[in-house]
Amino acid sequence: MKFLYTARAKYGPLNDENYTWQRYIQWRSAPQLQELVSLDTGLNDILIDRSRDEDAYWKYLLTDDCHIIDFFTSQAYVMEYMAGVGDFNMLVIVIEPSENCAWVQPDGYDFLGYELLDQYYDTSALTNCGGFDETFLPAELNSVGLIDDYHKAYDIRQRLLENNPYEDHADTNVIAVWRHQTIGR
C-alpha cells in the first residue's frame, strides 16, 4: 500500500466561521454528520501552499498523468509545513486500496472510512454532489462524511458510474482515509 499525506482545514460546527454548517447539514440531509473530514477541495481546504517552498512542493507532490493531485509522498514534508499551525486534519490516504483498510493502522492514525473523489481529485461524490440518491443515500455516510465499509465503497463507485455515465463527478476514485490522533487537533 502506498501511503500519501495531506493537511486539510476542518469543517464542522466548532470551526464554522461563516455559519454555513447547519445549512450544509440541511442541504446534504445528513444530520448524523458531526464534522466533515473530506478530501473535497471546496469543503476541506488544502492547507499547503506551494509558494512557501516551491521546490519542496513539487518534489513531494503527487501527480497522476495530467492531473496535479494535492497529496504528498512525504509525511515529514507535510508535518514540517504544518508546524505551529493548530486545528487542522493531518491525513494519511491510500488511493484505490486493494484490501480492507479498517485493519490497517499507520502509527498514530485512526481509520475514518472511504472517500469517493472524482477523477480530477477535487470533488467528493459523497459530500459535495446532490442527486445520487439512486445509488446511495446521505444516511449511509458515517459521522465524518465517509463510507465505513470497503466493499460498499467500491459498490457505490460502480453504481455511481452506471447510473450517471455522463456526470464527471460520478467517475470516482476510492480513497481510504486516516486522521492523526494528535497532530492538528
Side-chain angles (χ1 to χ4, degrees):
M1 243 185 258
K2 181 178 180 179
F3 291 109
L4 300 166
Y5 309 89
T6 189
R8 300 294 172 112
K10 289 185 175 184
Y11 184 44
L14 298 179
N15 48 0
D16 184 17
E17 295 173 6
N18 298 318
Y19 306 103
T20 61
W21 179 250
Q22 285 306 317
R23 288 190 305 245
Y24 174 77
I25 294 296
Q26 290 171 347
W27 169 78
R28 195 63 201 116
S29 300
Q32 76 278 16
L33 293 181
Q34 296 174 8
E35 176 187 0
L36 189 63
V37 182
S38 176
L39 299 171
D40 184 288
T41 58
L43 296 170
N44 292 91
D45 293 335
I46 300 161
L47 297 178
I48 298 175
D49 177 12
R50 73 179 185 203
S51 66
R52 179 176 167 186
D53 184 345
E54 189 88 23
D55 292 336
Y57 179 85
W58 288 106
K59 178 180 178 182
Y60 297 115
L61 181 71
L62 179 68
T63 58
D64 180 17
D65 294 328
C66 60
H67 298 106
I68 294 173
I69 306 167
D70 289 298
F71 306 136
F72 299 86
T73 58
S74 169
Q75 177 176 331
Y77 168 72
V78 175
M79 291 174 75
E80 177 183 329
Y81 189 93
M82 299 309 298
V85 176
D87 208 25
F88 66 95
N89 286 319
M90 177 66 190
L91 304 175
V92 171
I93 62 132
V94 172
I95 300 171
E96 299 297 335
S98 59
E99 63 184 272
N100 184 348
C101 294
W103 306 111
V104 177
Q105 294 298 94
D107 236 8
Y109 289 84
D110 293 321
F111 180 70
L112 299 181
Y114 300 94
E115 171 74 279
L116 275 74
L117 271 189
D118 66 10
Q119 291 299 306
Y120 310 110
Y121 296 92
D122 287 329
T123 305
S124 171
L126 299 176
T127 57
N128 203 7
C129 292
F132 292 146
D133 289 353
E134 78 287 344
T135 305
F136 74 96
L137 296 173
E140 297 177 68
L141 301 176
N142 65 21
S143 65
V144 294
L146 302 173
I147 299 294
D148 286 325
D149 183 81
Y150 173 78
H151 297 291
K152 186 175 192 171
Y154 276 96
D155 178 60
I156 291 171
R157 172 193 173 173
Q158 179 182 340
R159 290 185 300 124
L160 270 173
L161 195 52
E162 288 171 1
N163 294 333
N164 307 279
Y166 304 108
E167 169 58 53
D168 281 353
H169 301 309
D171 186 5
T172 61
N173 299 285
V174 173
I175 302 175
V177 180
W178 293 262
R179 176 170 52 186
H180 201 278
Q181 296 164 349
T182 58
I183 296 171
R185 304 191 76 192

